[in-house]
């Protein structure tokens, strides 16, 4: 076994049913997208409120097959949350997470009405995926502002959005 496994991580999690959408008993699950998120100390309640008040309604509108949230309780970082989004086909998995799809649809509707669209991404790690989807599906090069870009890039992006050059 040691020759086959390069690393292993074992931890216990607590299911957070109030933050989840269980799959139907007859659901035919063929795959899932698993995500691990580490929350900044002291912000767990805010993150859970985001899931409950903002994310779950979006998932329900997107007819998600199932969505599960758990939190590490032993053997790992207590600030880690684990999500599983269930799918009934690999084609659906290839389309990306339902949250990315719903955000993209809302942006497309605003652009079709010749308006600008502001998309706030809950996790900076989702930014490249969302930018790729906007480029691929809408032919746009979206402006991105987040904490990992330089002040000059941030100013250029802000000016492009403010002036209307970026939609």
């Amino acid at each position: 076994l040691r020759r086959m496994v390069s690393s292993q991580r074992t931890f216990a999690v607590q299911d957070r049913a109030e933050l989840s959408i269980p799959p139907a008993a007859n659901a035919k699950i063929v795959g899932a997208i698993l995500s691990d998120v580490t929350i900044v100390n002291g912000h767990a309640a805010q993150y859970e409120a985001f899931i409950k008040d903002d994310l779950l309604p979006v998932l329900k509108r997107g007819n998600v097959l199932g969505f599960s949230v758990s939190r590490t309780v032993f053997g790992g970082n207590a600030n880690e949350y684990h999500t599983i989004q269930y799918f009934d086909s690999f084609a659906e998995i290839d389309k990306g997470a339902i949250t990315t799809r719903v955000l993209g649809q809302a942006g497309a509707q605003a652009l079709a009405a010749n308006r600008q669209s502001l998309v706030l991404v809950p996790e900076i790690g989702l930014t490249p995926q969302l930018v790729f989807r906007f480029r691929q599906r809408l032919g746009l090069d979206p402006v991105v502002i987040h904490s990992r870009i330089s002040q000059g890039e941030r100013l250029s992006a802000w000016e492009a959005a403010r002036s209307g050059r970026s939609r």
Side-chain angles (χ1 to χ4, degrees):
L1 188 61
R2 288 183 181 167
R3 287 184 238 154
M4 295 182 288
V5 178
S6 65
S7 68
Q8 176 182 339
R9 202 172 141 222
T10 304
F11 48 89
V13 298
Q14 177 186 24
D15 182 50
R16 301 301 306 269
E18 73 279 11
L19 302 175
S20 302
I21 303 169
N26 61 347
K28 295 181 181 177
I29 298 169
V30 296
I33 294 177
L34 290 79
S35 298
D36 292 329
V37 177
T38 302
I39 303 304
V40 175
N41 282 335
H43 291 276
Q46 292 166 314
Y47 182 68
E48 290 185 13
F50 160 76
I51 292 173
K52 187 175 183 180
D53 300 336
D54 299 315
L55 185 58
L56 288 179
V58 168
L59 293 172
K60 288 176 183 174
R61 281 196 312 268
N63 296 320
V64 68
L65 188 63
F67 181 77
S68 173
V69 176
S70 60
R71 185 173 184 184
T72 301
V73 292
F74 179 75
N77 184 339
N79 291 327
E80 283 184 335
Y81 286 80
H82 314 278
T83 63
I84 304 172
Q85 183 179 330
Y86 302 100
F87 292 91
D88 57 3
S89 75
F90 287 107
E92 286 297 308
I93 292 173
D94 190 45
K95 292 178 184 176
I98 192 72
T99 50
T100 304
R101 286 189 261 167
V102 170
L103 290 172
Q105 290 168 2
Q109 290 169 356
L111 295 170
N114 204 26
R115 296 185 318 223
Q116 284 184 306
S117 176
L118 173 65
V119 178
L120 302 175
V121 182
E123 300 171 29
I124 198 169
L126 294 175
T127 304
Q129 177 186 7
L130 193 60
V131 167
F132 174 78
R133 302 268 183 218
F134 270 86
R135 285 181 181 146
Q136 181 184 43
R137 300 236 167 87
L138 303 174
L140 296 175
D141 194 17
V143 171
V144 175
I145 299 174
H146 58 69
S147 61
R148 293 189 187 151
I149 64 173
S150 71
Q151 287 184 349
E153 291 170 312
R154 190 175 291 119
L155 179 60
S156 294
W158 178 255
E159 282 295 321
R162 188 185 63 77
S163 70
R165 288 191 321 266
S166 175
R167 297 182 355 151

